[in-house]
Amino acid sequence: MSFDYDLFVIGGGSGGVRAARVAATEGARVALAEEDRYGGTCVIRGCVPKKLMVFASEYPDAMEDARAYGWNVHSDGFSWETFGTRLNAELDRLEGVYRNLLSGSGVTTYDARATLKDAHTVSLSTGEEFTAKHILVATGGHPVRPDLPGAEHGIVSDDIFHLDTLPKSILIIGGGYIACEFACILNGLGVQVTQYYRGAQILRGFDDEARGLVAEEMQQAGIDLHLGSTILEMAPTEGGYQVKATNGTEKVFEQVFFATGRRPNTDDLGLEEIGVELGRGGEIVVDEYSQTAVPSIYAIGDVTGRVALTPVAIREGMAFVETVFKGNPTPVDHELIPTAIFTQPEIGTVGMTEEEARAREPVEIYCTSFKPMQQAFAGRQNRVLMKLIVSKANRRVLGCHIVAPGAGEMIQLAGIAVKMGATKEDFDRTCAVHPTMSEEIVTMKTPIRTA
Ligand code: NDP
């Protein structure tokens, strides 16, 4: 049977674009359909604009510190409009880069919504239909609001980049990556931030000591964080929204921001109708090669509900091409993925938390917390944390957790050692880089506890 294409990719985000490009470079005839902007969540409404907002939000502290260092600094305040104009120009530029990468590698693009008609046929919203030997679903996910009265008035992370003005006050619901990052960003930009998290401590799943320090630092920075509390209902009122909470309070906030998780984009794609299995959260069920229950259909990235991180989607895309177009079956390696949360201070983490490790085997915990030189000199009380979890049995470093400015940069490098299986003694043999914060990671001599 002859097909119009060897590969049809649905979704032009990080994973889809990478898979399309690399398959085309291998000589495959590739098409890609995207209904929105190229670049997907990461480039258009996630990692990239978020990180630029993190940078913007750090200047007030930097300016204050600069004064302590002898600079005569004067600011006329922050202009959301100026920042937004530059941000949008940058996103336009990046979208252009993505489009050029696709056309440059010979991928045919369709600016249309695609749905599946059968195991080898894609229908586009333009009315066109194409057949393909393989179909790759890389449609990503979207933020969800909880089901409660008035929730439709709240914003989600997609909306935050398009606000005409910054609110004076905001209530953020949730305690995950997005809630905590935006609490810090908006606080830094001068918004009065309140955060409600239903659990006992924010950033569930991360190392307890690390999340405890971040929560403390966020509170010290002025974020009004309420644990064990969440919203019951909200309704429009003068100056914003009246919010009833589980802690018995009723308060008015100019905006309410739901950072209550994301859901895979699998609705109305025709997946189940043709036999693709979906999980309870709406995610596409795939095997270790990203293959679905329909052999010609594969799925990668957030839509599979595995690990919702851009670099993981890209690796899944690369492994898919290796498997399907290079005849080299390659399972995706989801072990020991380093990651960073861009709170202020950041968390950089790789491997097991102390809680996970001690439940599994006897461990030694090496941990230090201190005031970093740069901020301490400026009179700040902020602390950083460096922590290693070490297996007693084979001395391997099972987990590394860093809470510090720049922790995301540090953990990328520590992640190599941990992924290589480095032992505590390998860390010890490595000479310190002085004076840095991260030198503490190779100078911790005595465990603070064993378990
Ligand atoms: P998360 O799943 O990380 O967090 C969702 C939060 O909302 C949790 O605290 C959850 O509470 C809470 N929640 C869920 N439902 C409700 C509800 N009905 N009422 C009240 N609270 C609720 O999702 P995010 O949206 O923050 O992020 C999604 C994913 O995106 C992340 O897991 C991550 O993979 C990725 N991401 C990565 C970033 C990075 O690499 N820096 C940045 C941003 C996102 P509970 O803990 O009790 O379930």
Side-chain angles (χ1 to χ4, degrees):
M1 182 176 172
S2 84
F3 297 101
D4 297 325
Y5 293 105
D6 299 313
L7 172 65
F8 202 106
V9 180
I10 306 179
S14 307
V17 168
R18 178 63 69 89
R21 263 194 325 118
V22 184
T25 313
E26 286 302 309
R29 293 166 307 141
V30 183
L32 182 147
E34 168 58 55
E35 64 176 332
D36 198 332
R37 298 185 65 182
Y38 286 71
T41 299
C42 172
V43 176
I44 304 298
R45 58 192 87 85
C47 321
V48 172
K50 181 275 306 283
K51 189 84 189 269
L52 292 168
M53 281 182 79
V54 170
F55 293 140
S57 71
E58 287 175 338
Y59 282 101
D61 278 359
M63 283 186 283
E64 211 175 291
D65 289 357
R67 288 188 199 107
Y69 278 87
W71 290 94
N72 184 4
V73 180
H74 166 77
S75 161
D76 281 332
F78 174 67
S79 164
W80 173 247
E81 201 185 332
T82 305
F83 173 72
T85 305
R86 292 185 63 88
L87 178 69
N88 286 329
E90 178 60 4
L91 301 188
D92 289 347
R93 185 186 73 79
L94 289 171
E95 187 180 9
V97 169
Y98 268 66
R99 280 185 185 271
N100 289 340
L101 284 172
L102 286 168
S103 58
S105 46
V107 176
T108 308
T109 52
Y110 297 95
D111 292 1
R113 177 167 173 81
T115 52
L116 292 152
K117 189 176 174 198
D118 61 43
H120 292 284
T121 311
V122 170
S123 311
L124 299 187
S125 48
T126 54
E128 295 162 286
E129 256 181 33
F130 296 102
T131 57
K133 187 168 183 203
H134 301 284
I135 296 169
L136 180 68
V137 184
T139 47
H142 62 276
V144 288
R145 292 173 176 79
D147 185 15
L148 54 89
E152 69 279 7
H153 299 297
I155 59 169
V156 292
S157 57
D158 288 359
D159 306 317
I160 200 90
F161 309 109
H162 305 293
L163 296 176
D164 291 335
T165 52
L166 276 181
K168 285 199 173 47
S169 68
I170 197 163
L171 169 65
I172 300 181
I173 312 291
Y177 277 82
I178 295 179
C180 295
E181 288 181 344
F182 277 101
C184 294
I185 290 169
L186 294 169
N187 182 56
L189 294 179
V191 180
Q192 204 182 321
V193 178
T194 306
Q195 185 178 357
Y196 289 171
Y197 173 52
R198 63 184 179 183
Q201 184 55 284
I202 55 167
L203 298 170
R204 182 166 60 82
F206 291 89
D207 186 87
D208 277 356
E209 241 163 348
R211 55 210 276 253
L213 179 57
V214 171
E216 233 168 71
E217 293 283 330
M218 283 170 63
Q219 281 165 322
Q220 260 181 34
I223 296 165
D224 187 15
L225 173 63
H226 295 261
L227 299 170
S229 300
T230 194
I231 181 173
L232 286 171
E233 56 180 71
M234 61 185 281
T237 186
E238 209 192 316
Y241 300 94
Q242 176 96 12
V243 173
K244 255 193 208 169
T246 52
N247 57 14
T249 58
E250 274 196 43
K251 287 186 185 159
V252 175
F253 301 94
E254 196 177 322
Q255 292 272 10
V256 176
F257 176 173
F258 290 107
T260 43
R262 299 176 60 85
R263 211 182 136 80
N265 288 331
T266 47
D267 289 350
D268 307 322
L269 280 179
L271 290 162
E272 282 176 299
E273 291 83 339
I274 62 166
V276 174
E277 192 193 335
L278 300 187
R280 279 184 40 167
E283 73 280 9
I284 298 180
V285 177
V286 290
D287 68 9
E288 59 187 326
Y289 300 102
S290 301
Q291 193 171 28
T292 71
V294 177
S296 58
I297 302 179
Y298 288 71
I300 56 165
D302 291 6
V303 76
T304 64
R306 290 178 283 186
V307 182
L309 297 172
T310 296
V312 176
I314 290 173
R315 295 177 80 85
E316 288 167 356
M318 298 292 280
F320 158 77
V321 173
E322 200 68 31
T323 302
V324 175
F325 292 99
K326 292 190 176 178
N328 175 27
T330 305
V332 189
D333 178 6
H334 289 111
E335 287 295 307
L336 293 173
I337 297 168
T339 179
I341 311 170
F342 295 99
T343 40
Q344 294 166 29
E346 296 172 11
I347 298 189
T349 176
V350 62
M352 281 186 240
T353 65
E354 177 177 343
E355 297 69 42
E356 284 165 345
R358 58 198 295 168
R360 203 185 284 203
E361 62 177 279
V363 287
E364 285 178 356
I365 309 300
Y366 295 82
C367 187
T368 178
S369 179
F370 55 94
K371 287 190 208 160
M373 189 184 198
Q374 188 180 4
Q375 287 78 7
F377 181 85
R380 290 191 183 278
Q381 298 304 314
N382 308 64
R383 301 189 74 80
V384 301
L385 177 121
M386 307 276 160
K387 180 167 178 179
L388 294 177
I389 322 292
V390 177
S391 161
K392 266 193 183 169
N394 60 19
R395 308 293 301 150
R396 278 176 67 156
V397 175
L398 302 173
C400 175
H401 310 280
I402 300 175
V403 179
E409 303 289 347
M410 298 180 207
I411 207 66
Q412 179 68 82
L413 304 179
I416 301 172
V418 175
K419 185 81 181 162
M420 286 175 76
T423 60
K424 177 67 171 64
E425 284 63 38
D426 291 325
F427 275 65
D428 294 346
R429 283 193 295 121
T430 306
C431 190
V433 178
H434 185 72
T436 63
M437 290 181 275
S438 52
E439 67 181 301
E440 298 287 333
I441 217 84
V442 297
T443 55
M444 292 185 282
K445 291 288 172 252
T446 322
I448 57 155
R449 57 184 171 268
T450 58

